[in-house]
Amino acid sequence: MKLPRITYKRVIIILIFAAIFTAVLNGVLSSKINKDIIVGYLESEKNIRVDIDKVSPNILLGNVNIEGVLIGPRDSDSDQGLLIAERAKPSPSKTRIKISSVSLNVSLMDFLFGKLSIRSLIINELDLSYSVNEEGNHSLDPLLDPPKYIKGLLNPEYEGKKKRRELAKMRRKLDSGSEDLLDDSFNASEVPMPTTLDELIIKGGKVAIKLDKSGNNVYLSNIKGSIADLDVDPQNLKEHNSALLGLAGNLKVMGPKSDSEYASFDLRAEGSIQPFEVSSGFLNPDLVTRLTVEEGSKIVSLPIATRLASTLEQLESAGLDLSVIDDLLVVDKDSTFNLGLRNYILRAVEPLSVMINGNELTLEKNSWLNTANDEHLINASFTFSDKISGKAFEKSYDYLSERVGKGVASAVSELLFTPVTKNGKIHIPFVSSGDFNRPKVRPSVELKDLADAIKEGLKKDPLSILKGLLDR
């Protein structure tokens, strides 16, 4: 059936009007989303100053592109809610978040029905800088507080939100046995509505952390990260509070003046996480992550290793080569384990083993390090390789044979090395505690002195004295 010519004209006219209407609607809605609107919203939620260079929205497609984002400490301009064009330049700050660009894509249909469905959030060139004091408090913390003033007026929600923040901080420092004390004091108001996110991608970035107590600097660079399948419902965090994390980068620990390198690790983290604490709605302070330390990562200076070597003089005098502990430590192959992080305290969720210079360093479950003040308690063991263990046994036998004769050498060597031998290898269990830079390290087994071992060996077999003399 052939349609009349006039029908085609009507269709074309309708399409033209639809296109015009769509363009006008998009223009009107897009004009409602600009730099000042976004800055005003963010500054009404947190105690921050926000600067943005450019915003390019396309409402009908659900896209918003933001360029040149700088977030730092709040000032009088942000308290007054001044327009960006009316503000003075932000003061330089060592605590800041800089982002080259942010691209956001959401489902408008879901948003209209009260759900935020983020298809993608792409962050390009993240630059984060802050410091941590010895109590574990970081300089970003004040930025996460609620603002006291919004557009020059006292924030009516300030006292309530500030109290919840303070209670949350207190709760995180309580023992796990007391966690239920403040359960009714919190809610999940950090998230405005049920939210899903298909993917968050960080394309390039760096993080600089200054540790106030030691003066050391931690740098995470070449960051490539993602969060996928985020599912958060603030009213039902028990059922909807999950995400898949993927993160890779290089972690360096440098001295106070950043002129000396202590360690360099190539890391990967991956696995499922709970982003929020169920009872409070705040960011989860106790994250467990599957972490991989990649082959070739190195430790240039490890005080624990140096102190451990100094405690093994009895074994060194009997032939144990300790230079493998003192020298540059290099990770031989990828090592994967579960690592927990709670308020800057790293802990081994399970035994943590790393192959270093052909030897195995194992940290026992629940060993921990407070990265804020360098306090630590580590139960660990150092197992020497087959090659080094074999050489130590051989060198010890030869040395003792020359000193006391072959008849006594085997008995003395056995007395010296049996307490520290496991599966045919030299295995030194030890404990390290106190300040990580000046650790107290002690073996977890009793080591025999060489002279005592010789006396004890001679007592076991009096005839060995004569045999030893004949051997010599």
Side-chain angles (χ1 to χ4, degrees):
M1 177 179 175
K2 188 175 182 180
L3 293 175
R5 182 183 296 269
I6 190 170
T7 301
Y8 288 113
K9 290 182 179 180
R10 287 175 179 173
V11 171
I12 292 173
I13 292 173
I14 291 172
L15 291 175
I16 292 173
F17 274 105
I20 294 173
F21 176 78
T22 299
V24 171
L25 180 61
N26 185 61
V28 171
L29 294 176
S30 295
S31 66
K32 300 294 184 181
I33 298 181
N34 55 48
K35 294 187 293 185
D36 290 304
I37 291 294
I38 294 176
V39 167
Y41 173 76
L42 295 174
E43 291 182 349
S44 69
E45 293 293 321
K46 297 298 178 184
N47 189 42
I48 54 178
R49 166 167 170 160
V50 183
D51 289 89
I52 295 175
D53 290 339
K54 184 180 179 181
V55 175
S56 304
N58 187 318
I59 300 302
L60 295 182
L61 295 179
N63 293 330
V64 179
N65 296 313
I66 306 172
E67 299 178 19
V69 180
L70 174 62
I71 300 174
R74 199 174 184 89
D75 59 13
S76 58
D77 286 351
S78 42
D79 275 343
Q80 294 298 317
L82 297 182
L83 299 177
I84 293 179
E86 299 172 352
R87 299 184 178 193
K89 288 186 176 180
S91 300
S93 174
K94 293 182 179 180
T95 300
R96 67 179 188 278
I97 304 172
K98 294 175 66 177
I99 301 174
S100 177
S101 66
V102 178
S103 179
L104 175 68
N105 180 263
V106 302
S107 170
L108 289 180
M109 188 62 66
D110 285 351
F111 188 77
L112 293 175
F113 285 93
K115 180 180 180 180
L116 180 57
S117 296
I118 303 174
R119 296 192 181 100
S120 67
L121 176 61
I122 300 174
I123 298 174
N124 289 292
E125 299 302 326
L126 169 70
D127 181 356
L128 173 61
S129 178
Y130 63 99
S131 61
V132 182
N133 67 20
E134 59 183 301
E135 295 180 354
N137 299 317
H138 55 77
S139 59
L140 283 173
D141 198 58
L143 277 62
L144 301 176
D145 285 338
K148 190 170 185 179
Y149 296 96
I150 301 176
K151 295 184 178 179
L153 300 176
L154 185 65
N155 179 6
E157 298 180 345
Y158 174 75
E159 293 297 336
K161 289 185 175 181
K162 180 69 173 178
K163 183 179 180 180
R164 286 201 297 271
R165 281 270 298 154
E166 295 302 322
L167 287 174
K169 294 176 191 176
M170 290 173 57
R171 182 176 186 272
R172 292 170 190 175
K173 295 180 180 180
L174 292 176
D175 294 334
S176 59
S178 304
E179 284 186 348
D180 293 336
L181 290 178
L182 301 173
D183 277 356
D184 295 334
S185 302
F186 305 98
N187 57 56
S189 59
E190 295 290 314
V191 182
M193 63 182 70
T195 301
T196 61
L197 182 147
D198 292 342
E199 62 176 3
L200 180 153
I201 298 174
I202 299 176
K203 293 184 176 180
K206 58 184 179 179
V207 177
I209 307 171
K210 179 79 171 182
L211 303 178
D212 289 342
K213 182 182 178 182
S214 63
N216 293 337
N217 297 276
V218 178
Y219 299 106
L220 183 60
S221 60
N222 301 323
I223 298 174
K224 296 179 181 178
S226 67
I227 294 178
D229 299 332
L230 175 70
D231 179 18
V232 174
D233 184 344
Q235 303 304 320
N236 186 13
L237 287 176
K238 286 186 177 181
E239 301 294 333
H240 299 276
N241 182 25
S242 63
L244 294 177
L245 171 69
L247 182 65
N250 175 263
L251 177 70
K252 275 189 173 63
V253 181
M254 308 287 288
K257 296 182 180 180
S258 295
D259 55 357
S260 54
E261 182 179 306
Y262 297 150
S264 176
F265 299 102
D266 291 317
L267 303 174
R268 298 195 313 270
E270 55 192 0
S272 179
I273 61 170
Q274 285 190 324
F276 294 93
E277 195 175 29
V278 173
S279 59
S280 71
F282 287 94
L283 290 176
N284 191 348
D286 193 9
L287 288 174
V288 175
T289 304
R290 193 76 173 158
L291 186 70
T292 297
V293 179
E294 296 184 352
E295 178 182 347
S297 297
K298 59 184 179 180
I299 303 173
V300 180
S301 174
L302 184 61
I304 290 178
T306 304
R307 293 294 174 92
L308 176 61
S310 68
T311 66
L312 303 179
E313 293 177 353
Q314 302 100 310
L315 299 179
E316 186 177 24
S317 65
L320 179 61
D321 182 9
L322 298 178
S323 63
V324 294
I325 297 181
D326 289 327
D327 293 341
L328 173 68
L329 305 179
V330 180
V331 176
D332 296 334
K333 62 180 182 180
D334 289 3
S335 300
T336 302
F337 41 81
N338 285 324
L339 194 68
L341 174 63
R342 181 179 179 88
N343 295 335
Y344 289 96
I345 296 178
L346 292 170
R347 75 183 192 285
V349 178
E350 61 187 9
L352 184 164
S353 295
V354 182
M355 297 301 298
I356 300 175
N357 295 3
N359 311 291
E360 184 176 14
L361 175 64
T362 301
L363 275 60
E364 298 301 325
K365 180 180 178 181
N366 294 326
S367 295
W368 58 267
L369 166 66
N370 188 325
T371 59
N373 58 24
D374 288 329
E375 291 296 314
H376 74 290
L377 177 60
I378 295 175
N379 287 283
S381 62
F382 196 91
T383 304
F384 290 80
S385 67
D386 286 322
K387 181 178 180 181
I388 293 175
S389 297
K391 281 187 175 181
F393 294 138
E394 183 179 341
K395 183 177 180 181
S396 176
Y397 179 77
D398 291 342
Y399 169 77
L400 292 171
S401 295
E402 292 181 3
R403 183 168 179 179
V404 298
K406 293 181 179 180
V408 182
S410 295
V412 175
S413 181
E414 182 178 346
L415 286 168
L416 285 171
F417 288 111
T418 295
V420 291
T421 300
K422 184 177 181 180
N423 298 326
K425 300 178 184 178
I426 296 176
H427 173 81
I428 314 291
F430 66 93
V431 178
S432 180
S433 61
D435 190 316
F436 192 80
N437 294 307
R438 294 177 294 277
K440 298 176 182 178
V441 181
R442 61 190 185 278
S444 301
V445 294
E446 184 178 352
L447 301 178
K448 291 186 178 295
D449 183 83
L450 178 59
D452 292 337
I454 292 175
K455 290 179 182 179
E456 191 172 338
L458 292 173
K459 287 180 181 179
K460 283 187 175 183
D461 183 8
L463 293 177
S464 62
I465 300 176
L466 179 61
K467 186 185 294 185
L469 291 173
L470 293 174
D471 289 338
R472 297 172 66 183

